[in-house]
Amino acid sequence: MRKPCCEKKETNKGAWSKQEDQKLIDHIQKHGEGCWRSLPQAAGLLRCGKSCRLRWVNYLRPDLKRGNFGEDEEELIIKLHALLGNRWSLIAGRLPGRTDNEVKNYWNTHLKKKLIKRGIDPNNDRLAHYSAGAPKSCLSNSNSIRTSPVNFNGDDDNNVGGSDSSMDPKCNQTSSLPDLNLDLTVAPPPMEYVGS
DNA sequence: AAACCTTCCAACCGCAAGGAC
DNA sequence: CGTCCTTGCGGTTGGAAGGTT
């Protein structure tokens, strides 16, 4: 039986206070990320490392974009989800400044409904796309996203098609799927995202 | 104005992968 | 090689905020 990550130590739960945020930011700015296990004590926080990591990754990181998703981002999420399924971290990895949690929430609250409106089953969008009835709006309306072969290789940790042998079989079908005409390379951010 | 309902998002939980020993 | 520990991921939940009656 695995021990809970926070043992029975007295740790805070729930929403983070500004002081806690500041402590975490200060500590990471001084020492960098890493060793989340020991970070709370070192930073003087009554939180478990997991909680600190989540707070940093999802909310405090300076490179986070935040704010509404653009249409390009929406379409990209939809396409990536059709290809990858609920692999939110991979999807988020293709959206600079977005976190897996943010993408997941956005999918569950906005995009699911959007797909349903389009007549696509969001739980089965992959099948829907791959069968004959894929709505044009999903796959062909990709002017904003360059069309070229899927690029998942390189030095990226999120190497999808490569070493990830745990990938579910459906993902391995990608090589035999119809040409989805997807480009998953990260293009330079559109101007609207630069400097805002 | 108040009660109730719905939506949204930050945070938690449990599990699995991978590295260290 | 097996076990333990840490990290990261995805699913789920709780509560605040906004909307409706």
Side-chain angles (χ1 to χ4, degrees), chain A residues 7-9 15 69 71 81 84 102 122 126 131-132 136 142 155 161 166 170 191 196:
Chain A
E7 304 259 346
K8 287 167 189 162
K9 284 184 234 165
F69 282 71
E71 270 195 33
H81 187 269
L84 301 170
E102 204 176 5
R126 300 164 84 187
S131 63
K136 298 173 196 95
S142 57
D155 49 7
S166 67
K170 280 176 278 184
M191 290 307 291
S196 59

Side-chain angles (χ1 to χ4, degrees), chain A residues 22 45 55-56 71 97 115 158 188 194:
Chain A
Q22 200 52 56
L45 287 162
R55 183 64 177 171
W56 174 255
E71 270 195 33
L115 288 185
N158 295 334
V194 177

Side-chain angles (χ1 to χ4, degrees), chain A residues 39-99:
Chain A
L39 183 148
Q41 198 175 11
L45 287 162
L46 288 173
R47 295 273 182 175
C48 72
K50 218 174 184 179
S51 179
C52 293
R53 180 189 153 272
L54 210 64
R55 183 64 177 171
W56 174 255
V57 167
N58 286 332
Y59 201 82
L60 298 176
R61 252 171 44 198
D63 56 324
L64 291 182
K65 193 184 287 180
R66 310 199 65 78
N68 293 337
F69 282 71
E71 270 195 33
D72 283 358
E73 288 178 304
E74 281 189 9
E75 290 301 323
L76 187 53
I77 292 169
I78 290 168
K79 289 176 184 184
L80 287 168
H81 187 269
L83 183 66
L84 301 170
N86 294 359
R87 318 260 302 193
W88 305 116
S89 62
L90 290 180
I91 296 172
R94 304 285 151 184
L95 292 158
R98 301 297 188 184
T99 70

Side-chain angles (χ1 to χ4, degrees), chain A residues 19 44 51 70-71 76 80 82 100 115-116 120 122 129-130 137 146 165 170 193:
Chain A
Q19 289 91 333
S51 179
E71 270 195 33
L76 187 53
L80 287 168
D100 53 356
L115 288 185
I116 288 168
I120 301 170
H129 287 312
Y130 303 153
S137 57
R146 288 183 298 108
S165 57
K170 280 176 278 184
Y193 297 133

